[in-house]
């Protein structure tokens, strides 16, 4: 289905299982991203622990937002994320998860609070409607480990879709 990204904040050697979740990221316009996942149920555990797949997906949104806010500060003050499960299929009920707005200020605060982990390759499709044009960036992952997992889960319980 697209690019596979390693788990947020978990070094490969700390887990016996693979730490990648499939997802694709594309740019819809100057400040709108699409994050599409194949999962029908994003409330399942991402790695057998407390983090759900949705928690990891939203962390990726923050990582990419913070990267663009730092590297292209004149582009936008916030980014909208259209989050779709089930491969983005609109033919089934309850497939769209919603739209999240992440400001550059909030993305920076989250990056400071959780710390930047090891950079990973993150591929973004810049032309999702026509011929795909991919660019790959080296973006630090959020360090959501140890005691920060519960803090992230509390944050996620209040971070809701705008639609």
């Amino acid at each position: 289905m697209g690019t596979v990204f390693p788990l947020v904040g978990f070094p490969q050697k700390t887990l016996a299982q693979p730490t990648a979740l499939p997802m694709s990221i594309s740019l819809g316009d100057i400040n709108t991203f699409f994050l599409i996942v194949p999962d029908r149920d994003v409330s399942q555990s991402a790695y057998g622990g407390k983090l759900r797949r949705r928690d990891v997906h939203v962390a990726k949104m923050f990582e990419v937002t913070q990267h663009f806010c730092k590297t292209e500060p004149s582009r936008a003050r916030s980014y909208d994320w259209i989050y779709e499960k089930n491969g983005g299929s609109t033919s089934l009920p309850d497939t769209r998860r919603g739209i999240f707005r992440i400001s550059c200020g909030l993305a920076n605060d989250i990056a400071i609070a959780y710390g930047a982990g090891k950079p990973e390759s993150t591929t973004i499709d810049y032309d999702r409607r026509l011929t795909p044009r991919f660019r790959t960036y080296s973006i630090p992952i959020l360090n959501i480990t140890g005691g920060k997992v519960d803090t992230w889960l509390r944050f996620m319980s209040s971070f809701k879709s705008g639609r």
Side-chain angles (χ1 to χ4, degrees), residues 6 11 21 25 33 41 51 54 65 69 74 76 87-88 90 99-100 115 130 146 156 159-160:
L21 291 180
I25 300 173
F33 285 99
D41 181 4
L51 286 176
R54 148 180 56 238
T65 297
C69 290
S74 62
T90 56
I99 298 176
F100 297 92
L130 302 171
M156 285 295 298
F159 187 71
K160 302 292 182 194

Side-chain angles (χ1 to χ4, degrees), residues 39-85:
D39 309 290
R40 288 189 82 157
D41 181 4
V42 295
S43 66
Q44 292 180 342
S45 173
Y47 308 99
K50 291 182 180 181
L51 286 176
R52 298 162 298 187
R53 290 176 177 263
R54 148 180 56 238
D55 302 322
V56 175
H57 298 152
V58 172
K60 177 56 69 180
M61 293 178 201
F62 274 92
E63 294 162 5
V64 172
T65 297
Q66 206 261 346
H67 172 80
F68 274 83
C69 290
K70 276 178 52 179
T71 61
E72 299 183 35
S74 62
R75 183 184 195 115
R77 291 186 188 168
S78 65
Y79 290 90
D80 290 331
W81 284 86
I82 299 171
Y83 178 35
E84 296 178 329
K85 63 182 184 175

Side-chain angles (χ1 to χ4, degrees), residues 120-131:
E120 69 181 20
S121 291
T122 302
T123 301
I124 298 172
D125 180 357
Y126 271 74
D127 195 357
R128 70 185 301 266
R129 292 179 208 132
L130 302 171
T131 305

